[in-house]
Amino acid sequence: MDHTEALAWLRTLPDFERTGDFADRPDLAPMLELLRDLGDPHLGRSTVHIAGSKGKGSTGAMIEAVLRAAGLRTGHYVSPHLHRYTERIRLDGEPISPEAFASALSTVRPALEAARRRSPGRQFLAFDALTAAGFVAFREADVAVQVIEVGLGGSLDSTNVFHPIPNPQRLTTNDHIVVLTPISLEHTAVLGDTIHAIARQKAGIITPGCVVVVAPQRESAIDVFREVADSRRSRLVEVAKSCQLQRTSASPEGQDFRLKAQRETYPPLHLPLAGKHQLDNAATAVVACEELGERIGVDLTPQHVRQGLASVKWPARLETIKQRPRVIIDGAHNGDSAKRMVAALRDDFGLRSAVVLFGTLAGKDVPAMASAVSGFANEVLVTAWPSARAADPRAAAEPFRDSDAPVTVMGSLPDAYEAAIARASAHGAVVCFGSLAFVAAVRAWVLGIAGDA
């Protein structure tokens, strides 16, 4: 298959991200069988496996950048993509080429179709195919370490394929690091409707004998992580207890900070991402890199950390895509993320208010997001946008009507964007948020990016 044919085949598979089609699964047996048929391409290299509700992508990008600065060949598997599927499979920090992407899916396709015939009644998702393709591509590129981001949940996610066969006589230890970023309410119909239940799902990626690096968490989540790590005799490292952070400056272009981690006191560091919450992600990333470096014998120096963090690029996270008026996009998709976004807009951007352009996916907690921007939005435009999963803007607008800001429903993204620009003065700002898929659509429209349909 060439790249076009590979995309066409991929779209024949159920895809929760594109359409909301979700195939419930009792176990990961078909995925493990598929990987066995492919020669277990997920094995044979160091792995950092990341789950959580917020910050997975940013934390993974920082980990990959630091490890690459230390001289390691890296693979990074992320989801979702902003514009093109190739963004999901990254080699040494860059999206895989269309040719390599097609080659990996061409390897996966016959194995997946054979496994599907042997498993009647079980479905393979597009995410399963992409995950397998990522592992195949990393094997072909001979990467030294792979940074793998969970798609949905943890326990039954397609990436959760690193558990060894249980052996009561011998605990497994390997160069495997699990990272758990902050937990909040998300995908409640699938993962559960409490922080405790969602944390239990995320903790499913903890393997026996691994190191578990936990970002600052709510107590109800950290209690679950401690319990699961203890039951699997995995060492748990709590970033909130092992690190000291001090932010020294901040702007829309990034922030400077000092970090004392468990193994090193670092010289002043720079992170080109806005938002104080990103410093927790940075500390989590550094601890994960320290742990992995110690396990695989890599001399991780302060210069590697400084160079890696300073090189991080992670779009659509408090990203300015236009000046005068300033247009900021952020992938905040729940109440907690929206609160962090507003705090960063006030502290790092110096904004007291802005025109808000909002679009989200069906089933999201819009009241929590609306509450987060209440008092910051001087006007809210809620719009339809081209996605099969987009929420009806009329329904999504209702929670915003409880605020003092006027709310307008718009029928199309281009019209909504132009209206937002017109209503923000030359010295004002437009803030776009609601889901990563929505702000990707805004980004594509403003910057003229042609993505994969």
Side-chain angles (χ1 to χ4, degrees):
M1 297 187 292
D2 62 18
H3 183 62
T4 301
E5 292 167 334
L7 290 180
W9 174 70
L10 195 62
R11 294 185 187 110
T12 67
L13 302 174
D15 190 338
F16 176 73
E17 292 173 23
R18 285 195 307 114
T19 66
D21 292 338
F22 181 75
D24 196 11
R25 54 181 62 179
D27 55 48
L28 288 166
M31 186 67 191
L32 290 166
E33 183 178 349
L34 168 61
L35 293 175
R36 279 195 299 270
D37 288 351
L38 291 167
D40 288 326
H42 58 304
L43 304 179
R45 65 194 68 89
S46 303
T47 300
V48 181
H49 198 187
I50 308 173
S53 303
K54 304 187 295 290
K56 295 192 300 292
S58 299
T59 303
M62 295 177 204
I63 291 170
E64 185 280 328
V66 170
L67 295 176
R68 178 161 39 89
L72 294 172
R73 182 147 171 74
T74 60
H76 188 193
Y77 180 67
V78 306
S79 63
H81 60 279
L82 287 178
H83 307 299
R84 300 183 180 93
Y85 278 96
T86 52
E87 298 167 17
R88 295 173 180 246
I89 303 171
R90 310 173 81 88
L91 298 173
D92 290 329
E94 296 296 329
I96 196 172
S97 70
E99 294 77 17
F101 179 82
S103 175
L105 277 178
S106 295
T107 299
V108 168
R109 179 177 180 174
L112 186 147
E113 291 175 346
R116 184 163 50 186
R117 288 193 295 271
R118 293 194 301 269
S119 302
R122 299 293 295 272
Q123 279 190 315
F124 281 96
L125 305 177
F127 189 76
D128 299 328
L130 288 163
T131 301
F135 292 135
V136 167
F138 296 157
R139 178 178 63 188
E140 291 300 309
D142 195 24
V143 306
V145 58
Q146 57 190 7
V147 181
I148 306 297
E149 181 184 331
V150 165
L152 177 64
S155 295
L156 297 176
D157 187 77
S158 308
T159 66
N160 193 25
V161 290
F162 299 103
H163 285 267
I165 298 173
N167 184 340
Q169 303 301 319
R170 178 176 172 271
L171 289 172
T172 300
T173 57
N174 51 28
D175 48 354
H176 189 92
I177 308 295
V178 163
V179 175
L180 296 167
T181 65
I183 303 302
S184 60
L185 293 176
E186 57 157 351
H187 300 296
T188 53
V190 177
L191 302 180
D193 58 3
T194 66
I195 295 294
H196 184 279
I198 293 172
R200 180 74 58 180
Q201 287 286 337
K202 308 291 186 180
I205 71 169
I206 297 174
T207 58
C210 73
V211 174
V212 186
V213 177
V214 183
Q217 301 281 345
R218 300 183 186 187
E219 280 303 313
S220 54
I222 194 65
D223 288 345
V224 171
F225 295 152
R226 289 170 182 154
E227 174 197 333
V228 175
D230 183 66
S231 70
R232 297 176 185 174
R233 301 194 187 181
S234 300
R235 183 164 64 87
L236 187 139
V237 181
E238 297 182 40
V239 171
K241 292 182 177 180
S242 64
C243 292
Q244 296 177 19
L245 275 168
Q246 180 186 10
R247 185 159 78 157
T248 57
S249 67
S251 74
E253 286 69 46
Q255 49 199 319
D256 297 309
F257 66 105
R258 298 181 184 275
L259 171 64
K260 181 179 180 182
Q262 55 182 0
R263 287 175 172 77
E264 186 75 52
T265 298
Y266 291 92
L269 300 170
H270 176 72
L271 183 68
L273 298 176
K276 198 171 183 179
H277 58 281
Q278 292 288 9
L279 298 189
D280 285 341
N281 294 337
T284 303
V286 171
V287 171
C289 291
E290 287 182 339
E291 290 289 345
L292 183 65
E294 183 174 278
R295 285 200 159 202
I296 65 177
V298 170
D299 182 19
L300 183 73
T301 69
Q303 181 58 29
H304 294 146
V305 171
R306 181 176 175 83
Q307 178 184 337
L309 291 181
S311 71
V312 170
K313 298 177 182 178
W314 205 238
R317 281 75 176 178
L318 289 168
E319 180 188 12
T320 297
I321 58 172
K322 183 183 182 300
Q323 299 284 358
R324 298 185 63 86
R326 183 187 290 270
V327 177
I328 302 160
I329 61 172
D330 189 71
H333 64 282
N334 58 34
D336 286 346
S337 295
K339 287 177 183 177
R340 291 184 173 194
M341 177 191 74
V342 170
L345 291 169
R346 286 176 167 147
D347 296 343
D348 296 6
F349 289 76
L351 294 176
R352 300 179 63 183
S353 64
V355 174
V356 168
L357 180 56
F358 182 81
T360 192
L361 302 173
K364 293 294 184 179
D365 188 356
V366 179
M369 290 188 276
S371 175
V373 300
S374 177
F376 176 80
N378 53 37
E379 186 165 2
V380 180
L381 281 70
V382 184
T383 184
W385 51 289
S387 167
R389 293 181 61 202
D392 183 330
R394 293 166 297 185
E398 286 305 312
F400 289 96
R401 298 194 190 282
D402 294 334
S403 68
D404 293 333
V407 180
T408 304
V409 175
M410 305 292 291
S412 76
L413 174 54
D415 290 346
Y417 176 79
E418 294 302 330
I421 292 294
R423 295 176 193 188
S425 69
H427 301 288
V430 176
V431 174
C432 313
F433 87 106
S435 79
L436 193 59
F438 171 67
V439 298
V442 175
R443 191 173 190 268
W445 170 256
V446 176
L447 301 182
I449 297 171
D452 294 330

